Amino acid sequence: MDTEILAKVSDVPLGRSISVMTSDEREIALFNVEGTIYALENQCPHAGGPLAEGDVKDGIVTCPWHAWEFNLKTGMCINAPNHCAAIIPISIEGDNITLKQ
């Protein structure tokens, strides 16, 4: 099975986020928090806001549309715990961020 490379670690600056598209056209938000890369589906479950454009503080991303907050490790919504952002399984291989198959 082929490994899909989403981005390079160096593409995601420390304290920043980017969005990338998978080969099957899913949009993924990648976050670099203190050197650890987290990946969530780049769509807020509330209204579809782009999570990669949200502010990140203390491991929490705030959706830029309606300020819903999501834990980057668990995907759990702070505002409404029954709404979670989908965590995307990734691995780091050298400088490559790869989608786990």
Side-chain angles (χ1 to χ4, degrees):
M1 184 172 280
D2 291 332
T3 300
E4 182 171 354
I5 298 172
L6 297 175
K8 302 278 188 193
V9 172
S10 56
D11 293 335
V12 190
L14 192 61
R16 305 293 302 260
S17 58
I18 64 170
S19 84
V20 296
M21 193 70 73
T22 65
S23 61
D24 62 356
E25 299 187 7
R26 291 184 296 154
E27 195 170 352
I28 309 298
L30 300 173
F31 303 87
N32 185 338
V33 178
E34 299 177 359
T36 300
I37 304 294
Y38 297 96
L40 297 176
E41 184 175 313
N42 192 33
Q43 185 175 29
C44 176
H46 169 237
L51 294 179
E53 295 177 20
D55 291 327
V56 176
K57 184 176 180 185
D58 299 327
I60 305 292
V61 61
T62 301
C63 178
W65 287 6
H66 299 108
W68 279 35
E69 298 176 314
F70 298 90
N71 181 304
L72 293 174
K73 290 180 186 177
T74 66
M76 180 174 274
C77 181
I78 308 303
N79 312 74
N82 59 332
H83 290 84
C84 293
I87 295 172
I88 305 301
I90 59 168
S91 61
I92 307 297
E93 299 172 11
D95 190 38
N96 292 329
I97 302 168
T98 60
L99 189 61
K100 283 189 179 177
Q101 300 294 328

